[in-house]
Amino acid sequence: MSAAGTTGNAATIHRFHSAVNSGDRDLIAEAVDELVAPDLLFHAPVPMGLSGAEALKRVWEVLLRAFPDIHVTVEETISEGDKVVVRNTVTGTHRGEYQGVPPTGKTVTYSEIFIFRFANGRVAEVRGVVDVLSLLRQLGAFPS
């Protein structure tokens, strides 16, 4: 892949994060439809029974319901070949049920790292590591 293609892939991820940070479910769904392959391979915790781009949409529905002001800050982006790696800091206020924890009103901050693989200009595969334990501890679900 050319350097321009690699740069374009990183720009695609940043466009997706802009949609996510809008908090607009419809805009996020449109971004998924535009930027993600329908048969996306998604290697991260996802709702059971869903796959592909629909699973990614569902993840954001769940997150926005629990953290309506969720914000993803991209700390680092690394592009090489057909892959883009991002290290993010996520913040939000717990206003809806999450993982069985009722709303607490607490503000949370957690880290995540995702590797996006591109094919034909769209995200074809995602591998993610999300610090869910830290998030759940901040919500009081686990002792610190």
Side-chain angles (χ1 to χ4, degrees), residues 28-93:
I28 294 168
E30 289 171 16
V32 170
D33 288 340
E34 178 186 348
L35 306 174
V36 175
D39 58 349
L40 171 74
L41 297 173
F42 197 16
H43 309 284
V46 295
M48 299 305 284
L50 293 176
S51 61
E54 292 306 312
L56 184 58
K57 288 179 190 178
R58 181 75 177 117
V59 165
W60 282 104
E61 288 173 14
V62 168
L63 287 171
L64 283 168
R65 191 168 36 255
F67 307 96
D69 62 346
I70 196 165
H71 184 80
V72 178
T73 301
V74 178
E75 306 290 353
E76 282 184 89
T77 304
I78 301 167
S79 296
E80 184 173 313
D82 63 350
K83 294 190 175 117
V84 176
V85 180
V86 292
R87 182 178 61 83
N88 301 324
T89 300
V90 182
T91 57
T93 308

Side-chain angles (χ1 to χ4, degrees), residues 6 43 98:
T6 299
H43 309 284
Y98 181 75

